[in-house]
Amino acid sequence: MTKLIWVHIVALILCSLNLAAQDSKVWQDFKVAKENGHDHILPDFSYAGYKYSEVALPKVDFKVFNVIDYGAVPNDDRSDKESIKKAIAAASKNGEGVIFFPKGKYFINTEEDSLDIVKIESSKIVFRGEGANENGSILLFKRDLPPANPEKLWTVPYAIKTTVEKKGKFLTNVISDARRETFVLKVEDASRIKPGDWVVLKMKNNDKELVAEDIAPLSIEPKWTTIQEKGVQINEMHKVASVHKDTLVFSEPIHYNVNSSHGWKLYHFPHLQRIGFENIMFLGNWDGKFVHHRSPQDDGGWSILNLNNLVNSWVRNCTFKNVNRALSINSSAAVTALNISVEGKIGHNGVSAGGGSTGILLAYINDKAGMHHTTGVGGGSTTGTVIWRSTHPSHTSFESHASQPRCTLFDNVKGGFFAGRAGGAIKNLPNHGRFLVLWNYEETDEPEKNFDFISKTSEYWKIVPPIVVGFYGKGSTFNKDEVQLQESIGKPVQPESLFEEQLKLRLGKLPDWIVEQKRNQNSTNNSFK
């Protein structure tokens, strides 16, 4: 046996010993708690994504509605917006359909266009192209859209939007308490609820003790008017697995402790399902140097895709280039964004989950542009979001846009990490509530000693102490008084991915689609070495 072979064997042994030494205690405690039905500090994030990530995203075989058949002509510099709308209308009338874009460039929001947006208002509609690159299917948004209110920079509409006109109707009151991370809820009257229904579990209460408990150990600041006046707000979407008299069993866990005295209620959740966007490049015409809040164009001129009121839907294998806001998923549940690239000029927002969404999976998001607010969560009491194996440059950091997001996992994220990029108005602070979890986050910017999650120099950076496990890369340390729990700072832990291991623990094995996704990603990475 050669000396070189021995060197490799010793290296492998040392590596295996090193990995064994990195086993996470908090993970081991979580497994024991699950086995014994006990409470645990970690939320169970394994229910995020399309059909709770148990299966791969579907390859639907709906009837195809080719936009060319409705008048679109690729590469001719003329607007194709009306042709796209006609194809959507035909697919909607059919009950389902693939809006197909053959290779080429399709123009939207040209000088000849009206300023209206493209709406999807029925289920089972999939936008499908033939590649999200320069040689594939490109939707070019030539002109920026103006704000609805010129004095409010954030009112620029998204160019494509899913929407439901119905409002969620009140169903019943909650009459018993329920612990976070459990599934059972007792209600006053379950007669209008059946298995398979989607409901919204709501609570809105400004009781001072509740508010203080919700943001502890932070103290209320005078300018945080929303949580003081409107109170703690919870909006969790749940699918009803079964109904037993007036007791409901949900398909996924409740993520907030339910105290029935705080006025918890259930509402119907109007939604669309099986909406998809795949294999398309969304190309904006933004070519400026971004300045935050300088103008409506900077903040949102080319806002592309806004998904609202969806369940079991997806965006995959898509590119967003030269845009101000790429993809926003709002008021939705069990939605996956997978293999998304954000490229070109720096803009305002990349990919985010917000608007009170529950269980959104943002997976393999590669923000190459480095948007001012990169991948993360918006407001509206968004819960159970997972950002998994995603990357962004060193010049930006993760997004957490106030208005009470909670229970968010950044899992195997690589990129910059520093204060000041979590957005939101001062009145809507703090930027993030309980159970922000950073798991094996690899930092790529300059290190900081005793990093503060509760800024002493800025009014804006205020985060309820998070759980930080396996944070590594540059040598940053954390202020121990501003983390709920920290473990293995400076060195990654095993398991490598919390989301994967929680899913594996729940299902008994890792789903095939995740195994394939990681294999394909590794093959792609190795091909450049």
Side-chain angles (χ1 to χ4, degrees), residues 329-370:
I329 303 170
N330 299 299
S331 301
S332 297
V335 174
T336 295
L338 175 66
N339 294 333
I340 307 300
S341 181
V342 182
E343 303 176 0
K345 302 291 289 187
I346 296 173
H348 193 189
N349 294 86
V351 178
S352 65
S357 292
T358 303
I360 306 301
L361 175 63
L362 307 179
Y364 287 89
I365 313 297
N366 187 358
D367 180 2
K368 298 178 183 179

Side-chain angles (χ1 to χ4, degrees), residues 28 81-82 116 141 150 154 183 251 306 308 327 331 347 413 442 488 508:
Q28 297 301 328
K81 182 194 281 188
E82 291 304 314
D116 63 340
F141 301 82
W154 62 91
F183 299 78
S251 296
N306 185 15
N308 300 277
L327 168 62
S331 301
V413 169
E442 183 180 354
S488 190

Side-chain angles (χ1 to χ4, degrees), residues 179-209:
R179 300 193 329 271
R180 57 175 284 268
E181 304 306 316
T182 60
F183 299 78
V184 179
L185 196 69
K186 191 170 183 180
V187 298
E188 193 172 68
D189 178 11
S191 63
R192 292 185 292 169
I193 304 171
K194 63 183 184 302
D197 284 351
W198 282 90
V199 298
V200 187
L201 177 61
K202 285 178 173 281
M203 186 267 287
K204 186 176 180 180
N205 192 312
N206 67 350
D207 177 83
K208 289 184 178 180
E209 289 186 7

Side-chain angles (χ1 to χ4, degrees), residues 115-307:
L115 296 179
D116 63 340
I117 65 174
V118 175
K119 291 184 179 180
I120 298 172
E121 300 176 277
S122 58
S123 294
K124 298 183 180 180
I125 302 294
V126 175
F127 273 37
R128 179 179 294 162
E130 293 190 290
N133 52 50
E134 301 293 346
N135 298 315
S137 302
I138 302 172
L139 302 190
L140 172 59
F141 301 82
K142 196 166 184 179
R143 187 170 49 141
D144 62 308
L145 295 177
N149 183 339
E151 296 181 1
K152 297 180 179 180
L153 306 184
W154 62 91
T155 62
V156 176
Y158 282 78
I160 301 174
K161 179 180 181 178
T162 67
T163 183
V164 173
E165 294 299 326
K166 294 179 180 179
K167 302 295 183 181
K169 294 181 179 180
F170 171 74
L171 291 171
T172 186
N173 293 307
V174 176
I175 60 173
S176 67
D177 299 348
R179 300 193 329 271
R180 57 175 284 268
E181 304 306 316
T182 60
F183 299 78
V184 179
L185 196 69
K186 191 170 183 180
V187 298
E188 193 172 68
D189 178 11
S191 63
R192 292 185 292 169
I193 304 171
K194 63 183 184 302
D197 284 351
W198 282 90
V199 298
V200 187
L201 177 61
K202 285 178 173 281
M203 186 267 287
K204 186 176 180 180
N205 192 312
N206 67 350
D207 177 83
K208 289 184 178 180
E209 289 186 7
L210 173 62
V211 171
E213 179 184 355
D214 182 75
I215 66 169
L218 277 64
S219 298
I220 283 286
E221 298 188 17
K223 292 182 180 179
W224 298 3
T225 56
T226 300
I227 197 166
Q228 293 180 77
E229 295 171 4
K230 297 183 179 180
V232 177
Q233 299 180 63
I234 308 296
N235 296 279
E236 291 191 16
M237 285 76 168
H238 289 281
K239 185 178 181 180
V240 178
S242 60
V243 181
H244 309 276
K245 295 184 179 179
D246 291 329
T247 299
L248 309 180
V249 180
F250 291 144
S251 296
E252 59 286 288
I254 301 163
H255 287 303
Y256 198 97
N257 283 325
V258 174
N259 182 333
S260 58
S261 68
H262 290 151
W264 289 80
K265 302 176 184 298
L266 275 186
Y267 288 78
H268 172 62
F269 176 42
H271 62 272
L272 306 178
Q273 59 183 326
R274 304 198 82 185
I275 300 290
F277 298 84
E278 48 197 42
N279 306 320
I280 294 173
M281 173 182 278
F282 299 92
L283 179 62
N285 214 10
W286 166 243
D287 63 356
K289 184 175 182 180
F290 176 80
V291 177
H292 195 224
H293 295 337
R294 174 177 61 181
S295 69
Q297 190 180 66
D298 283 87
D299 280 11
W302 279 273
S303 298
I304 307 303
L305 198 53
N306 185 15
L307 306 185

